Amino acid sequence: MLLLAAAVAALIWANMPGDSYESFWHTEVSIRVGDAALALDLRHWVNDAAMSLFFLAVGLEISREVAVGELRNPRAVFVPVLGAIGGLALPALIFLAFNPSGPAAHGWGIPVSTDTAFVVGILALFGPRCPDQLRLFLLTLAIADDIGAIAIMAIFYSEGVSLGALGLAALFVIVLVMLRWVGVWQLRLYVVAGIGLWCAVYASGVHPTLAGVLVGLLVPATPVEPAQSERLRFYGRAVIERADAARARLAVLATRATVPANDRLQDALHPVSAFIVVPIFGLANAGVRLDMETLGRAFTSPLTIGIIVALVAGKTVGVGVGSAIALRTRLGDLPGRVRYGHLIGGGMLAGIGFTISLFIADLAFEDEILRDEAKIGVLAGSLTAAILGSLALRYLGERLPLCTVDESGGAPPLPTGPWRDPTLPQR
């Protein structure tokens, strides 16, 4: 709701008389240490720095699910990953069918991404009607989708990539891997290495939000060793016997050591990411002028139409076909109460492209007219996908068969005719 309110506020602000919206977000802010300085305008501070925290939070959640959650089973990963691959490839092909050549063709990467925040937010509105496994499926799909989209940005939308800076980034990744391998539980070391990784990735010319994903995936989420609990008992008894500052400090450190670094960092970051970073991103990027001339030009433009069709139809079909291949070939399954109706609705919701779609729109086009047409396509396509996906979950979610596997390991056939749930009352 906050993200939606911020997007609406950005549209209102951008269409007010004057140019205060763009002037504000182009205000330059710099951080200087001696002769070294990092100068960015406010919009880039939001997109490049603050949004790294969002991707860090999502990477932490996926890392935890892989380590101790639902994604420990490889069969549970194949379905969303193949769905994400289909959801990346088909929208790009559909967009290129509408824009096979010319300057607009450079925007083929705009409709490939799924906005995690909007999708998870809409699923939250359904409450217990939405199975937890569907949330996990779409979250995993969105992360695989985001990694693919960030890779597309790194390869096709980066200019002047510095190999030296990339090598330094690889060194920071090795440092994070070593910290994880030796079992370091102090968060400050991961934070310092993560900041260094962000700076190196930014200097390399690759989009720095990739650093957030990498750090999130590398912070350890596995349960701590039992010896830590024994230390907590020892230091806790010491505080009970005689409370002083040193013993209290040691007891606090022992308490922190009993909780995985992933959980502690996720607990600290999630409120900041969900309630501050993401709404500010919507406010900084969703503003586009919507006068009659701009709208008339946009909705007759192959660029805008291509983005809308790619987001609405391309994502739905791409995610559905990719997931169906994983189910029918027995590479994976969707356990729990996930039905084909949920899968169809989830595929439609995956067409909500906002975060990285707006990123790539800014990277792809220097022409302001093309950029505005692309943003209108992203907003219109995302709104359409959100409405259709919500309706599909509401009216199809419980009406189609379960996406489970039978005892032999095979996936059930797709529904071919009327189907009744024997657990529901029949007329």
Side-chain angles (χ1 to χ4, degrees), residues 117-130:
F118 264 129
V119 172
V120 175
I122 289 177
L123 292 179
L125 299 179
F126 283 87
R129 280 186 173 184
C130 174

Side-chain angles (χ1 to χ4, degrees), residues 244-327:
D244 59 33
R247 294 189 179 197
R249 177 176 57 82
L250 291 173
V252 168
L253 291 175
T255 303
R256 290 176 181 169
T258 60
V259 182
N262 181 295
D263 289 359
R264 286 182 281 121
L265 187 55
Q266 192 174 165
D267 181 69
L269 275 182
H270 181 72
V272 176
S273 171
F275 300 121
I276 298 177
V277 171
V278 173
I280 290 178
F281 170 82
L283 186 64
N285 290 273
V288 59
R289 288 197 173 273
L290 299 178
D291 55 73
M292 295 304 297
E293 180 183 355
T294 302
L295 291 174
R297 183 175 59 244
F299 286 106
T300 58
S301 167
L303 172 59
T304 304
I305 297 172
I307 291 174
I308 294 173
V309 176
L311 286 173
V312 177
K315 278 290 185 180
T316 303
V317 177
V319 171
V321 170
S323 302
I325 290 174
L327 291 170

Side-chain angles (χ1 to χ4, degrees), residues 56-104:
L56 170 58
V58 179
L60 288 169
E61 188 161 354
I62 290 298
S63 176
R64 185 182 185 281
E65 291 296 335
V66 171
V68 297
E70 295 288 342
L71 298 184
R72 286 179 298 173
N73 179 8
R75 290 179 59 83
V77 179
F78 276 113
V79 179
V81 167
L82 287 183
I85 292 173
L88 287 167
L90 190 57
L93 294 175
I94 290 176
F95 178 88
L96 288 174
F98 281 88
N99 302 272
S101 60

Side-chain angles (χ1 to χ4, degrees), residues 1 4 17 76 137 155 279 323 425:
M1 295 301 294
L4 181 61
F137 165 78
I155 297 172
S323 302

Side-chain angles (χ1 to χ4, degrees), residues 95 99 101-108 303 364-365 367 370:
F95 178 88
N99 302 272
S101 60
H106 192 51
W108 63 269
L303 172 59
F365 302 121
D367 188 293
L370 291 178

